[in-house]
Amino acid sequence: MLGPGMQLLDGGRTVRQTKNADAFTMTSPVLRSGTASATYELKADKYVAIEGTVGVFPADLELDSSICAAAGKRCALELGTYEPTCEVVCDGVRSGETCLAFRSGDEVRVKVKFLSKTAARVTLSLHRGLSLLNKWSKTLRGVPECGLRFGVGFEMEGQEATLLELDYDPQTLRDALADAEAAIAEPSRAAAALAAIETALADATE
């Protein structure tokens, strides 16, 4: 799932933003229960500042949404290298900026643990090599019925995100299969549901 101006590289593991525009890339399958995690490496061309957001977002988020929007059922880490700061946005509430020398090549890890159908504990951590730079944990309440997806949003040309790791428990795959079964009665959802299952099975065998 790619927003305006985004291009897939490296066999689909890397997404590059090719124009100045707000855009998101989102992973499959949809998260509704259990635990899951994703790790992204963020890079930018020389003289290009990274201005982006990494975390979990509503599964039906419009891919051209503003990356700076605080509203919505999201829990994400907003990053900036022009002015090196990080800020967590959870459920429309901003944590306040943390001054960190975030730079191209650093990694962001996102872990999700569902506490119920409508609440999830989200842990966001920033890494450079083997060093942990900072870590935040927030509880996202009112998880939308559509579920959540891991995602990255950029707004400037010359930025890249590489998905280094995607891990989830068997419950996530079972939920994806349930979506496919429901899609039988709703053909418009069938293609998306089957694509999510194919992605989940491919990741599980790697």
Side-chain angles (χ1 to χ4, degrees):
M1 301 175 65
L2 301 175
M6 287 186 158
Q7 178 184 19
L8 283 177
L9 303 171
D10 299 332
R13 288 290 183 181
T14 297
V15 173
R16 180 175 178 82
Q17 178 59 305
T18 63
K19 68 178 184 179
N20 293 333
D22 283 302
F24 277 85
T25 176
M26 309 277 278
T27 66
S28 292
V30 173
L31 307 173
R32 290 193 174 90
S33 60
T35 60
S37 64
T39 301
Y40 294 92
E41 180 185 30
L42 305 183
K43 291 184 177 181
D45 293 346
K46 192 175 182 179
Y47 306 122
V48 174
I50 291 179
E51 300 293 335
T53 184
V54 185
V56 289
F57 306 87
D60 61 357
L61 180 76
E62 296 292 334
L63 297 179
D64 60 353
S65 297
S66 168
I67 70 167
C68 296
K73 298 299 179 181
R74 63 172 67 189
C75 188
L77 181 64
E78 291 187 358
L79 299 162
T81 55
Y82 180 73
E83 295 180 357
T85 59
C86 301
E87 184 175 21
V88 176
V89 179
C90 184
D91 236 357
V93 178
R94 295 182 175 276
S95 66
E97 293 184 347
T98 300
C99 292
L100 287 173
F102 174 79
R103 67 190 185 199
S104 179
D106 287 349
E107 299 175 8
V108 178
R109 297 177 187 170
V110 188
K111 295 183 178 180
V112 180
K113 180 180 181 179
F114 278 82
L115 307 177
S116 67
K117 290 183 178 180
T118 59
R121 188 70 174 170
V122 182
T123 300
L124 302 153
S125 55
L126 183 60
H127 302 258
R128 180 173 300 150
L130 298 177
S131 299
L132 172 65
L133 300 181
N134 212 330
K135 184 177 181 179
W136 305 260
S137 289
K138 300 285 184 180
T139 299
L140 180 64
R141 302 191 184 280
V143 172
E145 187 176 347
C146 63
L148 302 171
R149 292 183 190 270
F150 293 117
V152 178
F154 288 136
E155 65 178 5
M156 296 179 65
E157 179 182 359
Q159 302 179 107
E160 293 184 357
T162 299
L163 181 60
L164 301 177
E165 183 180 76
L166 180 62
D167 187 33
Y168 46 85
D169 64 19
Q171 183 62 48
T172 301
L173 183 57
R174 286 195 290 268
D175 287 342
L177 289 169
D179 279 347
E181 291 174 355
I184 294 174
E186 192 176 341
S188 62
R189 294 177 51 206
L194 290 174
I197 292 173
E198 290 173 358
T199 300
L201 289 173
D203 288 335
T205 56
E206 289 182 355

